[in-house]
Amino acid sequence: MSSGEGPNHLQRKVSNLLSILEEEGEQVMRSLSHIGRKVTQSLDTALTSYHRLDCCTDSDIKKTYQEVSQELEVMEEQITIICATISSLPASGENTVEDIWEEKPDLSSSSNYLLKKVARKVNRIKREGVIVQLNLAKLQNNVEIIVGKANDTAKAVLNVSDSEPKMLKVYREVSRELGTMDMEITMIRATLSSWAESLEDVMEIKSAQTGVRETSEVNSQIKNTSELPETNEDSEDVKSTIVGDTCDIAEIVEVVVNPADSK
């Protein structure tokens, strides 16, 4: 290899290392945004669950409390797991959430107790969610600093002339620093992957619980509809219309919806 090829090769090598690190940084930033949206969604869901209970009366609050409590348990568990992986919890997250509970005079003392208990759980979730969001912002700033520093470090090799006698020594130092920065980015990405999995579990369980609740409501409506009284006269009208050779779909709909008017 000629003397002119050596420095050029080392510069291309550093340029490739920098491109890989910048790509990793962009992926981490996308993951940070994704997790931030999921955390916000979890907090909104928790508040929605509370408002669902807040709209209940004494007659139905106990059943709704069981559903809401189970939903919040899943969210609180996963948000807490994420907080447990944060090495330094920001103290500013302690007083950023206000109490959302107010005693309702139209509810009994036992119903107000259930409402207050859920409100406290929601506040814990929101408080820990704020901590996670603050840490996400901190990580975003760290990634920007690392990528910026990597660009500055790479310039030590990329901006030197081909005749630089100490190119090899400079390359070794730059390569080592870029490797350290790449490892920092990789560690952040690994942490974010575990966070994202936790939040996906929350959304899947939440979706499943919502589906079960909606299915139960639909089944209840179907059951109530099937219990409506049907006269023999209405039944015969529908049957004769469906089997008639000259009827069309519009006639069938008209007879089913308004059997009395179709006679």
Side-chain angles (χ1 to χ4, degrees):
M1 181 172 61
S2 66
S3 60
E5 293 175 345
N8 287 333
H9 173 72
L10 297 179
Q11 287 175 330
R12 287 195 298 270
K13 186 80 170 179
V14 168
S15 180
N16 289 336
L17 291 174
L18 180 60
S19 296
I20 293 173
L21 190 147
E22 288 177 331
E23 183 179 352
E24 286 278 339
E26 291 176 0
Q27 292 175 350
V28 168
M29 296 296 275
R30 287 195 292 268
S31 296
L32 287 167
S33 298
H34 172 74
I35 292 174
R37 289 192 298 270
K38 288 294 184 180
V39 171
T40 299
Q41 185 178 358
S42 294
L43 300 183
D44 291 342
T45 301
L47 194 58
T48 299
S49 296
Y50 169 80
H51 286 316
R52 201 167 90 243
L53 187 68
D54 189 46
C55 295
C56 290
T57 61
D58 283 328
S59 61
D60 57 1
I61 193 170
K62 289 183 179 180
K63 179 181 178 181
T64 305
Y65 167 78
Q66 293 177 347
E67 298 173 354
V68 169
S69 182
Q70 291 175 357
E71 295 168 3
L72 295 178
E73 282 290 344
V74 176
M75 284 182 274
E76 183 178 23
E77 177 184 349
Q78 299 303 335
I79 292 290
T80 300
I81 289 175
I82 293 177
C83 282
T85 65
I86 301 176
S87 56
S88 56
L89 299 180
S92 57
E94 290 299 321
N95 300 315
T96 54
V97 180
E98 297 180 357
D99 195 342
I100 61 175
W101 177 77
E102 291 183 3
E103 186 171 356
K104 302 184 70 173
D106 56 327
L107 293 179
S108 64
S109 58
S110 60
S111 295
N112 271 298
Y113 170 76
L114 295 179
L115 193 60
K116 183 177 182 179
K117 191 171 182 178
V118 167
R120 287 177 175 175
K121 188 184 295 290
V122 170
N123 274 314
R124 288 198 301 269
I125 294 173
K126 291 177 65 179
R127 185 177 296 111
E128 292 186 338
V130 169
I131 292 175
V132 172
Q133 289 173 328
L134 290 173
N135 201 72
L136 290 174
K138 180 181 178 180
L139 288 175
Q140 183 176 8
N141 184 63
N142 289 347
V143 171
E144 291 175 348
I145 292 175
I146 292 173
V147 174
K149 186 178 178 181
N151 276 276
D152 293 339
T153 300
K155 289 178 182 178
V157 169
L158 299 178
N159 292 343
V160 297
S161 63
D162 292 348
S163 59
E164 176 63 49
K166 296 184 179 180
M167 170 68 76
L168 185 57
K169 179 181 178 181
V170 174
Y171 165 76
R172 286 173 177 171
E173 294 176 352
V174 169
S175 178
R176 185 164 48 248
E177 291 183 26
L178 290 178
T180 300
M181 296 176 195
D182 182 68
M183 182 180 65
E184 293 176 1
I185 293 286
T186 300
M187 295 301 294
I188 293 175
R189 190 176 179 184
T191 299
L192 295 180
S193 295
S194 65
W195 291 6
E197 290 175 1
S198 296
L199 291 172
E200 290 296 338
D201 290 342
V202 170
M203 292 299 102
E204 289 176 3
I205 295 175
K206 167 63 178 174
S207 177
Q209 291 174 340
T210 302
V212 169
R213 186 168 58 252
E214 291 177 348
T215 301
S216 177
E217 293 174 355
V218 171
N219 290 338
S220 177
Q221 293 174 359
I222 293 175
K223 180 180 179 182
N224 293 336
T225 302
S226 65
E227 292 175 352
L228 292 175
E230 179 184 19
T231 64
N232 292 332
E233 184 178 0
D234 291 340
S235 178
E236 289 300 324
D237 285 340
V238 174
K239 292 178 182 177
S240 61
T241 305
I242 293 177
V243 299
D245 294 333
T246 59
C247 70
D248 57 16
I249 298 299
E251 292 174 341
I252 295 175
V253 173
E254 179 65 24
V255 172
V256 172
V257 175
N258 299 308
D261 296 339
S262 64
K263 295 180 181 179

